[in-house]
Amino acid sequence: MEGMLPKEYGYVALVLVFYCFLNFWMAAQVGMARKKYKVFYPTLYASESDNKDAKLFNCVQRGHQNSLEMMPMFFMLMIVGGLRHPCACASLGVLYTVSRFFYFKGYSTGDPQKRLKIGKYGFLAILGLMICTISFGVGLLRGGEPRALF
């Protein structure tokens, strides 16, 4: 692998694993909420007509579900953008991961608006990752070294 990837790409790999640990933790929180609010598999969301705590459970579930929905885009942007900008992408990835923790914690309160107090900064991280990935793509199209432009 030496020479194929910048050594700093290791930071990108580590941040992706960091996010995987966050995802495992969120999944465990949903599992505990299932027991607490008595929402059993295969039910994805609780019905308010059947469960007085449906909103509380659904907020926990939705916080995790939204993170799963965003994960493929986050991973793709990290992996591709990190080829040219590994340190920037790793830094943005840490920002994104930390913001997702607070997004989940805020959502889990049962008040969906609390997810955005700190969680909104994850969208800035995604924007930064998109810029890094665009830079990588433009560099390739210009025929130069992917890391030598901008």
Side-chain angles (χ1 to χ4, degrees):
M1 296 286 287
E2 191 173 322
M4 291 175 51
L5 294 172
K7 72 177 185 174
E8 295 86 359
Y9 197 78
Y11 296 126
V12 173
L14 292 174
V15 171
L16 291 171
V17 172
F18 178 43
Y19 189 87
C20 289
F21 282 116
L22 175 64
N23 184 50
F24 291 149
W25 177 80
M26 287 187 287
Q29 300 304 302
V30 172
M32 289 188 290
R34 283 187 175 284
K35 289 179 186 171
K36 181 177 180 179
Y37 301 122
K38 297 177 178 47
V39 179
F40 304 107
Y41 289 108
T43 304
L44 189 58
Y45 291 102
S47 170
E48 290 188 19
S49 63
D50 298 334
N51 187 323
K52 66 180 177 60
D53 295 317
K55 183 176 181 187
L56 290 170
F57 171 77
N58 290 344
C59 283
V60 174
Q61 170 66 6
R62 187 72 200 125
H64 182 232
Q65 185 67 34
N66 183 263
S67 295
L68 290 173
E69 292 163 1
M70 296 289 289
M71 192 166 62
M73 179 174 54
F74 170 61
F75 274 40
M76 182 279 300
L77 293 171
M78 283 285 293
I79 292 166
V80 176
L83 291 170
R84 178 151 189 226
H85 304 285
C87 292
C89 284
S91 299
L92 290 164
V94 168
L95 172 62
Y96 181 77
T97 303
V98 170
S99 74
R100 286 318 284 191
F101 170 79
F102 287 105
Y103 182 96
F104 179 83
K105 289 294 284 182
Y107 219 149
S108 296
T109 65
D111 180 0
Q113 288 304 311
K114 290 183 179 178
R115 74 192 192 282
L116 298 175
K117 187 173 183 179
I118 296 173
K120 64 186 171 195
Y121 297 108
F123 298 106
L124 292 175
I126 289 292
L127 179 61
L129 290 168
M130 290 171 82
I131 291 168
C132 289
T133 302
I134 289 167
S135 171
F136 174 76
V138 168
L140 287 178
L141 290 172
R142 287 184 175 171
E145 288 290 319
R147 292 181 41 84
L149 304 171
F150 280 17

